[in-house]
Amino acid sequence: MVVTDIRQQFPILGRTVKGKPLVYFDNAATSQKPQSVIDALSHYYAHYNANIHRGIHTLAEEATHAYEAARFAVQEFIGAAEVEEIIFTRGTTEGINLVAYTWGRQNIAAGDEIIISGMEHHSNIVPWQIVCEEKNAILKVIPVKDNGELDMDAYKSLLSSKTKLVSIVQVSNSLGTVNPVKEMIGAAHEVGAKVLVDGAQSAVHLDIDVQDMDCDFFAFSGHKVYGPTGIGALYGKKELLENMPVFQGGGEMIREVTFEKTTYNDLPYKYEAGTPNIADTIALKTALDFIKDTGKESIRKHEAELLAYATAQLQAIPGLTIIGQAGNKVSLVSFVIDGVHPQDMGVLLDNMGIAVRTGHHCTQPLMKRFGIPGTIRASFAVYNQKEEIDVLIAGLHKAIKMLT
Ligand code: PMP
């Protein structure tokens, strides 16, 4: 994999910010898009824009074909057994909410327990709090250890016959920690609980095989895998999806409507009410093709080098502490600096053309756990280079001098 060739495919990387070449290290928030994805969007609108499924004209057939081809691409990307198990959503948040509102409402009763972890994104906390409040169920939280790993002994002791669901993040967006989800799923299944895996951060870095993992649900977002915003997918085991109540009502999701009674469509359409996000779905396939063509193994190797390099360079800065030093991490570093507010650092780095994320990263309870208001987070993607990390390190030195 030649990074300079990869960079050529991402037009945005050629721009400047505040007169400096852009250094984009906010990939965990959203990744940039290759030209092929941008072209797929405009090609759809310029050549075969039409509503899908019901049309018999050529444009509708072409659009339907491309939309359904994306479903096969997602199936392959995450290793699902059947294409009907792939539901298109707006993203991870909608996927988790879909499960909470359908499976959750049907299966959670008073006194039942839902287990999440202390490093969850708000998207994997709030939907379960809503279900727990409505059903008088109890939310339990797996503690996070000082090194940013989950306390697995505590997890096992939380599991019981009362546990109905474990909903966990595979990769922390704030720490980079890769959680041992396969082991966690096995333990949850032993007590009869179902497991949802939040794959928002993992899908772009790790090989995903939902069958091997044996998760019951898996949600991810297109915009973090080099695809467009507004599209994502939810995987669910067929048997579960078939038995869950519907989510939203409207067109597409019905078989027959009368004023007396409505019957519902087969999977996956049962959960896709209304005209879907056709263009972004089609372009999601192009993004997954980009990852496949580049090769996840090569991407991972490159990102691991960036992580090791950045970690070593950052650790050499006096007063800087990396939050989350798990043994198994993706290419993301979160850190705090003595006497420096993360937001001030973010502003100064932006003046140097460097885009990092600062704040709580939608994980307020995790920040509380570490006793900090937030972190400075640099997250790396396939197109980042060591030279850019050097720019960040030089920028940090300069900004620290100004701020302390
Ligand atoms: N979970 C995690 C771990 C995330 O990082 C994010 C996005 N920051 C989400 C869930 C929510 O994803 P989205 O906003 O794309 O729905």
Side-chain angles (χ1 to χ4, degrees):
M1 193 187 92
V2 182
V3 180
T4 44
D5 291 349
I6 299 272
R7 289 180 71 82
Q8 293 293 323
Q9 297 183 46
F10 288 79
I12 208 168
L13 299 178
R15 72 162 281 182
T16 55
V17 169
K18 313 271 165 76
K20 305 278 181 349
L22 167 68
V23 172
Y24 188 76
F25 284 160
D26 196 15
N27 295 288
T30 200
S31 58
Q32 297 302 344
K33 321 303 170 198
Q35 188 63 52
S36 58
V37 168
I38 300 165
D39 289 346
L41 291 169
S42 57
H43 185 73
Y44 165 74
Y45 285 120
H47 294 280
Y48 59 106
N49 170 53
N51 211 333
I52 55 168
H53 292 145
R54 289 171 305 268
I56 47 153
H57 57 80
T58 301
L59 267 54
E61 273 178 15
E62 287 177 7
T64 302
H65 180 76
Y67 180 83
E68 290 303 331
R71 205 184 303 275
F72 283 103
V74 172
Q75 179 197 5
E76 186 190 335
F77 185 66
I78 63 169
E82 303 200 42
V83 76
E84 292 82 9
E85 296 177 317
I86 308 300
I87 316 285
F88 285 121
T89 62
R90 281 194 298 130
T92 309
T93 304
E94 190 174 65
I96 297 171
N97 276 278
L98 191 158
V99 178
Y101 278 84
T102 59
W103 185 91
R105 285 204 167 134
Q106 188 183 48
N107 291 282
I108 303 294
D112 285 346
E113 294 177 0
I114 296 174
I115 299 179
I116 59 170
S117 87
M119 61 173 81
E120 297 308 320
H121 188 279
H122 297 163
S123 294
N124 198 27
I125 302 174
V126 184
W128 306 119
Q129 283 177 324
I130 294 170
V131 172
C132 285
E133 266 174 39
E134 193 178 305
K135 300 287 182 179
N136 268 323
I138 299 145
L139 194 67
K140 299 261 172 168
V141 183
I142 311 162
V144 177
K145 297 194 292 188
D146 288 345
N147 68 354
E149 291 177 356
L150 290 180
D151 183 335
M152 290 294 285
D153 292 334
Y155 168 57
K156 283 172 190 156
S157 66
L158 287 177
L159 286 168
S160 76
S161 58
K162 287 189 187 156
T163 314
K164 290 292 169 304
L165 178 77
V166 176
S167 194
I168 33 155
V169 72
Q170 188 169 16
V171 167
S172 159
N173 63 309
S174 293
L175 308 173
T177 310
V178 179
N179 289 320
V181 288
K182 193 174 169 180
E183 186 188 337
M184 296 176 79
I185 292 164
H189 284 168
E190 272 176 34
V191 298
K194 302 292 180 219
V195 183
L196 183 150
V197 174
D198 171 349
Q201 295 294 333
S202 58
V204 72
H205 299 292
L206 310 180
D207 288 321
I208 306 297
D209 184 336
V210 290
Q211 290 182 77
D212 177 61
M213 210 191 289
D214 200 25
C215 57
D216 299 286
F217 301 103
F218 182 90
F220 76 97
S221 303
H223 70 97
K224 295 185 202 271
V225 296
Y226 307 110
T229 51
I231 184 68
L234 171 73
Y235 157 84
K237 282 183 181 164
K238 194 173 175 183
E239 180 205 345
L240 291 170
L241 293 177
E242 272 173 345
N243 292 315
M244 277 154 42
V246 295
F247 182 38
Q248 294 176 334
E252 281 292 305
M253 52 76 74
I254 56 97
R255 184 183 303 287
E256 194 180 1
V257 178
T258 65
F259 286 121
E260 288 69 41
K261 184 166 174 61
T262 291
T263 52
Y264 302 124
N265 206 341
D266 294 331
L267 289 178
Y269 311 110
K270 174 182 167 187
Y271 297 104
E272 292 181 6
T275 300
N277 185 352
I278 304 165
D280 293 315
T281 309
I282 292 170
L284 173 62
K285 176 183 185 300
T286 314
L288 300 183
D289 288 345
F290 163 77
I291 293 178
K292 196 160 97 176
D293 294 347
T294 311
K296 262 199 176 164
E297 191 60 45
S298 311
I299 297 176
R300 247 196 322 273
K301 193 166 160 274
H302 172 64
E303 289 177 345
E305 281 170 20
L306 293 176
L307 175 67
Y309 186 70
T311 304
Q313 302 289 313
L314 289 168
Q315 275 168 337
I317 297 179
L320 186 148
T321 308
I322 294 179
I323 308 291
Q325 304 235 40
N328 194 0
K329 270 183 77 168
V330 300
S331 53
L332 179 163
V333 267
S334 236
F335 52 92
V336 291
I337 301 167
D338 290 347
V340 173
H341 196 282
Q343 203 150 336
D344 295 337
M345 181 55 83
V347 172
L348 290 184
L349 290 176
D350 180 56
N351 284 335
M352 304 175 210
I354 305 164
V356 293
R357 172 101 358 183
T358 59
H360 55 65
H361 319 296
C362 292
T363 54
Q364 283 180 347
L366 182 68
M367 296 298 116
K368 197 170 165 204
R369 150 72 182 84
F370 282 99
I372 50 178
T375 72
I376 303 154
R377 182 186 74 186
S379 48
F380 312 119
V382 59
Y383 39 68
N384 288 125
Q385 296 174 296
K386 280 186 182 166
E387 292 82 342
E388 293 180 293
I389 293 170
D390 293 337
V391 174
L392 170 69
I393 301 297
L396 285 169
H397 278 295
K398 201 168 147 193
I400 289 168
K401 262 197 205 125
M402 293 164 77
L403 292 169
T404 55

